[in-house]
């Protein structure tokens, strides 16, 4: 079992920045992949970015060039640096983890989410 806790959300003006963190605890040994998803009001949850146990990263087109995912493997923590934020980035952001090549389609573990609100 892996327990994930997000932090760092908040209210920011358009064009501003935020840094989200996701701390993993529990069964954190072994290789597992981690990523970020988000869900805006009235919309389905969508994929944002992921970083593998092998450090390979991938981003959704909507945030490419503005967000950067990173990971501190020693401390089991993942980050999402969000720059040039737009009102459409407003959502609850979720941390997720899983194993296997298609893990992001159905992650094994989810955090509780952290709210990001971008004002215009």
């Amino acid at each position: 079992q892996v327990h994930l806790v997000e932090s760092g959300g908040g209210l920011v003006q358009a064009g501003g920045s935020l840094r989200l963190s996701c701390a993993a605890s529990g069964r954190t040994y072994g290789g597992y992949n981690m990523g970020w998803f988000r869900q805006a009001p009235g919309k389905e949850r969508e994929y944002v970015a992921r970083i593998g146990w092998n450090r390979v990263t991938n981003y959704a087109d909507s945030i490419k060039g503005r967000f950067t995912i990173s990971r501190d493997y020693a401390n089991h923590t993942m980050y999402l640096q969000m720059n040039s934020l737009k009102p459409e980035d407003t959502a609850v952001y979720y941390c997720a983890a899983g194993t296997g090549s298609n893990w992001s389609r159905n992650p094994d573990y989810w955090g509780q989410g952290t709210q990001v609100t971008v004002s215009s």
Side-chain angles (χ1 to χ4, degrees), residues 97-108:
T99 58
S101 58
N102 295 318
W103 74 274
S104 60
R105 294 183 182 180
N106 188 22
D108 297 316

Side-chain angles (χ1 to χ4, degrees), residues 18-85:
L18 280 176
R19 188 194 195 203
L20 304 183
S21 299
C22 173
S25 61
R27 188 183 173 186
T28 54
Y29 59 87
Y32 59 95
N33 308 293
M34 297 184 73
W36 293 96
F37 294 74
R38 68 185 181 185
Q39 187 167 19
K43 295 187 177 181
E44 293 187 354
R45 186 151 52 187
E46 65 175 2
Y47 162 77
V48 175
R50 64 181 184 262
I51 182 165
W53 62 270
N54 56 3
R55 303 179 186 273
V56 174
T57 60
N58 180 272
Y59 297 92
D61 289 341
S62 60
I63 58 87
K64 199 172 292 184
R66 299 187 297 119
F67 293 8
T68 302
I69 191 170
S70 62
R71 189 168 168 181
D72 181 343
Y73 290 83
N75 293 310
H76 307 294
T77 304
M78 177 180 63
Y79 304 97
L80 186 68
Q81 178 66 43
M82 305 186 294
N83 299 328
S84 302
L85 282 162

Side-chain angles (χ1 to χ4, degrees), residues 107-118:
D108 297 316
Y109 305 103
W110 291 94
Q112 83 287 351
T114 185
Q115 177 70 47
V116 171
T117 303
V118 184

